[in-house]
Amino acid sequence: MTLSAHQRLVAAWFTLSAITLVAWSIGASHGRGPIEPDAAVAFSAIAITLIKVRVIIREFMDVRHAPARLRWITDGWLASFGLAMLLAYFA
Amino acid sequence: MTVAALAQETAPQPPASSLGKLAWQWRHNPKLELWLSWYTILVFYNVFGIVFFGITRTQPPPKAWWDLPKIVWWFHDKGWGLLVGFGIIFVMGAFATASTALITYSIRRMSVSPAFAWSYLILYSLAAVPGMLLTCIALVTGAMRPDRDPRLMGLLYDMGFLSFSGTMGIFLIGSVVWGVAILLDENAILPKWFGYFNICNALTEVVVATCCVLKSGPFAWDGVIAFYINMVVFGIYTGLFITYLRKMIEREDMDSPQVRGIR
Amino acid sequence: MTEVARARPTSSDDGQERMPGQSDMWVLVMIEAITFSSYFVVYTIYYCRSAEAFLRSQSQLDLALGVINTLILLASSWSVARCVERARAGDHRAATRNLALTAGGGLLFAALKLHEWSVEIGRGNFFSTDEFFSFYYFLTGMHLLHVLVGFIALGVVYYQLKSPARRSLEVIETGATFWHMVDFLWVIIFALLYVMR
């Protein structure tokens, strides 16, 4: 099913908002007592963020149709940033 | 036929020897003043780097949270470096004006209102006072007689480093003025991405405001964010503007009506 | 230096490659992305050093407010993307309506941010209270500064859309690109300050 440009934008926005609510439920402590560091939560937060930023760049910023160099540069930044964050947290 | 072209045509050919070539440039190169300014900028920033990082060791800055005994020790330890290094700055510091002049020239060449050029000129003419000289004066005063009351030494130490880091405001506004001028310019004097880089530089320099509040951690005047990351951006910015001013001079046609119009 | 005029297709799904907006703006986007990335990595390192203290302070933040702000900015990003899409289709009135939505979202975000700050200050949490709050005010403050610059970008887009003599699609896309950057920077800030532990 090919979406029109408008439908694609709405789908992207919907996905991003839904993922944000997922992040909210992960982040909320649900009254389980004092908040403690949680590697699973940290990893999910970072992973979710990388996905969200990539969707914004590819769909909203239209990098999907951009020259290959821009696609590589944005993906390259996202990947190195993700790696740096994981190293900073886990190493 | 323009006067300059006539002069060039009737000028003798440059001699073969390098000294002869330099003399020929001095007498016949229409861009002489521009090149003199540019090389002065190069000399100034190299001297600046050697003095601040090598001789005085004031960059990277010492800790903001040190107590008075440690501060007094620092003045004793760095004494001669401070006196000699900043003595050099007192003599040569005015070379910084070449940078202001050349950048102002670049803005005058743009299609934007001269108000941009005059604002930049005024801002940066004043900028060196808090941005560099106040630091030199405060720290040299401390180094000259380091056996003063420790509280006075502490005052001079704070004044020196806060003025260097904390007065970035003038520089960041200058960056905004130059950046906006480049973005609005229709004569393509400097590339648009460099105009945006000026905006980035300005936004990054906002970070130094935190030094006035915090004495330790990443937001102190010696902090990772307020100093190191900020300096990386500023260092790249400085290298870029020196490079692009050179390219601008190389491209300049001194006989064109636009250039003659602003003389 | 003249730029080769590029024919702008009306649909964005025709398989052709083109640069979204001026490539110069992308230089700014990448520089800001890398600079902020360094701030985020520094934050994470400081967090790991004093996790308990950071978490105690983090618990004072209102996660719901953070989520609302994220949803608002995502919606404003959608509306500015829609503005570009409508401008491409030649429907400039719809484009202007979407631009107004974007600006409205930005204003709402700024207002909520100021409200959140006033709540935290009311609780006695200042910039100098502890390291977590230094980072909190610094990151959200720097971001708000970018939102304010974003309003200037939106203003330039509005100026383009207003008169038929202008309406440069490239400038409109360039302004939108800046706004999207503001959005994705916030997405990361939200994850670090509000969610990550």
Side-chain angles (χ1 to χ4, degrees):
Chain A
M1 173 184 82
T2 43
L3 299 170
S4 74
H6 167 55
Q7 288 170 321
R8 227 194 140 91
L9 285 179
V10 173
W13 164 77
F14 186 79
T15 309
L16 288 167
S17 304
I19 297 177
T20 304
L21 296 173
V22 168
W24 184 14
S25 75
I26 292 176
S29 60
H30 301 297
R32 265 185 242 116
I35 302 164
E36 298 221 322
D38 189 330
V41 170
F43 184 81
S44 316
I46 294 172
I48 285 176
T49 302
L50 293 175
I51 294 171
K52 281 166 83 175
V53 175
R54 192 160 192 275
V55 170
I56 292 172
I57 292 177
R58 287 270 154 157
E59 298 297 328
F60 285 165
M61 296 175 97
D62 212 15
V63 169
R64 211 160 55 90
H65 297 117
R69 206 164 62 133
L70 187 60
R71 281 183 274 135
W72 276 106
I73 290 173
T74 50
D75 276 347
W77 162 68
L78 211 49
S80 3
F81 170 60
L83 190 62
M85 287 298 290
L86 292 172
L87 279 173
Y89 188 89
F90 290 104
Chain B
M1 180 170 286
T2 63
V3 174
L6 197 63
Q8 287 242 318
E9 270 208 358
T10 54
Q13 291 307 305
S17 72
S18 16
L19 210 58
K21 277 202 182 77
L22 269 173
W24 186 91
Q25 293 289 341
W26 183 265
R27 294 177 69 196
H28 301 292
N29 191 336
K31 298 183 188 177
L32 178 67
E33 297 93 341
L34 295 178
W35 283 120
L36 275 178
S37 299
W38 189 84
Y39 278 103
T40 307
I41 300 175
L42 210 55
V43 166
F44 169 75
Y45 272 103
N46 276 296
V47 169
F48 180 94
I50 293 169
V51 164
F52 278 82
F53 285 85
I55 302 179
T56 62
R57 304 289 174 106
T58 46
Q59 300 291 302
K63 305 277 175 260
W65 48 262
W66 278 352
D67 54 7
L68 293 178
K70 199 75 203 272
I71 291 173
V72 172
W73 165 84
W74 182 83
F75 272 104
H76 276 100
D77 188 55
K78 302 284 175 292
W80 279 112
L82 292 172
L83 292 170
V84 170
F86 289 140
I88 295 173
I89 293 291
F90 284 146
V91 170
M92 291 188 58
F95 279 3
T97 53
S99 175
T100 308
L102 203 50
I103 294 174
T104 304
Y105 173 84
S106 79
I107 304 176
R108 287 288 280 124
R109 285 281 287 113
M110 296 179 191
S111 60
V112 295
S113 153
F116 281 89
W118 303 135
S119 314
Y120 186 90
L121 183 61
I122 293 170
L123 270 169
Y124 265 74
S125 302
L126 302 172
V129 175
M132 186 177 70
L133 291 177
L134 208 50
T135 302
C136 302
I137 294 169
L139 298 179
V140 158
T141 309
M144 193 173 119
R145 281 192 249 272
D147 45 354
R148 282 179 231 266
D149 181 342
R151 285 182 308 168
L152 283 176
M153 302 301 283
L155 170 71
L156 293 169
Y157 182 80
D158 286 344
M159 247 177 75
F161 288 105
L162 271 181
S163 64
F164 192 75
S165 310
T167 56
M168 272 298 183
I170 306 181
F171 293 91
L172 87 85
I173 303 289
S175 250
V176 170
V177 170
W178 197 18
V180 172
I182 294 171
L183 292 175
L184 293 175
D185 174 38
E186 283 158 16
N187 294 341
I189 299 298
L190 289 165
K192 295 277 179 267
W193 65 260
F194 182 68
Y196 286 125
F197 200 130
N198 269 282
I199 309 297
C200 291
N201 184 51
L203 289 170
T204 312
E205 283 182 357
V206 167
V207 103
V208 296
T210 58
C211 318
C212 308
V213 182
L214 291 175
K215 293 197 277 287
S216 65
F219 301 106
W221 74 51
D222 61 304
V224 169
I225 290 183
F227 179 76
Y228 289 93
I229 294 177
N230 183 25
M231 273 300 134
V232 166
V233 176
F234 182 73
I236 296 174
Y237 170 76
T238 304
L240 281 174
F241 90 66
I242 292 177
T243 309
Y244 277 86
L245 283 178
R246 185 192 174 95
K247 287 183 197 275
M248 177 194 80
I249 298 173
E250 282 166 356
R251 272 197 330 257
E252 277 295 78
D253 175 5
M254 302 308 282
D255 291 328
S256 67
Q258 294 90 341
V259 177
R260 297 176 104 27
I262 63 166
R263 277 177 165 180
Chain C
M1 178 169 78
T2 52
E3 303 220 32
V4 176
R6 278 162 284 179
R8 295 260 159 193
T10 50
S11 139
S12 50
D13 254 316
D14 58 1
Q16 269 194 338
E17 270 186 7
R18 67 179 171 277
M19 176 67 76
Q22 294 168 354
S23 54
D24 308 274
M25 175 55 87
W26 279 98
V27 172
L28 179 149
V29 169
M30 288 322 298
I31 294 170
E32 289 301 290
I34 292 171
T35 309
F36 267 87
S37 302
S38 66
Y39 298 153
F40 298 145
V41 170
V42 169
Y43 169 81
T44 308
I45 293 173
Y46 273 83
Y47 164 81
C48 291
R49 276 195 212 163
S50 8
E52 275 84 43
F54 269 57
L55 288 176
R56 252 178 285 128
S57 298
Q58 189 191 54
S59 65
Q60 304 214 23
L61 290 185
D62 193 343
L63 180 54
L65 258 183
V67 171
I68 293 171
N69 264 340
T70 308
L71 293 174
I72 290 171
L73 268 192
L74 286 175
S76 78
S77 225
W78 169 80
S79 63
V80 83
R82 180 93 170 113
C83 164
V84 168
E85 189 262 320
R86 287 289 85 206
R88 274 191 200 139
D91 185 356
H92 293 104
R93 291 188 57 193
T96 310
R97 270 200 307 273
N98 278 288
L99 188 67
L101 270 176
T102 309
L107 282 170
L108 197 52
F109 176 90
L112 280 176
K113 184 54 51 197
L114 291 173
H115 164 73
E116 196 183 338
W117 282 352
S118 70
V119 167
E120 289 307 321
I121 290 171
R123 287 183 187 147
N125 296 320
F126 310 105
F127 176 70
S128 49
T129 299
D130 60 24
E131 257 173 11
F132 174 80
F133 277 105
S134 297
F135 275 104
Y136 168 76
Y137 283 109
F138 171 69
L139 289 173
T140 54
M142 283 294 276
H143 180 262
L144 190 62
L145 187 59
H146 284 71
V147 172
L148 295 178
V149 176
F151 284 126
I152 298 175
L154 295 182
V156 171
V157 174
Y158 175 68
Y159 181 68
Q160 287 292 315
L161 285 173
K162 220 168 59 141
S163 158
R166 299 183 282 269
R167 290 185 179 155
S168 155
L169 204 49
E170 193 187 61
V171 176
I172 294 169
E173 287 176 352
T174 302
T177 300
F178 188 93
W179 191 261
H180 291 304
M181 176 194 72
V182 167
D183 181 29
F184 78 61
L185 287 177
W186 172 258
V187 161
I188 307 175
I189 292 173
F190 166 68
L192 289 187
L193 289 179
Y194 294 82
V195 181
M196 187 179 84
R197 58 173 186 266

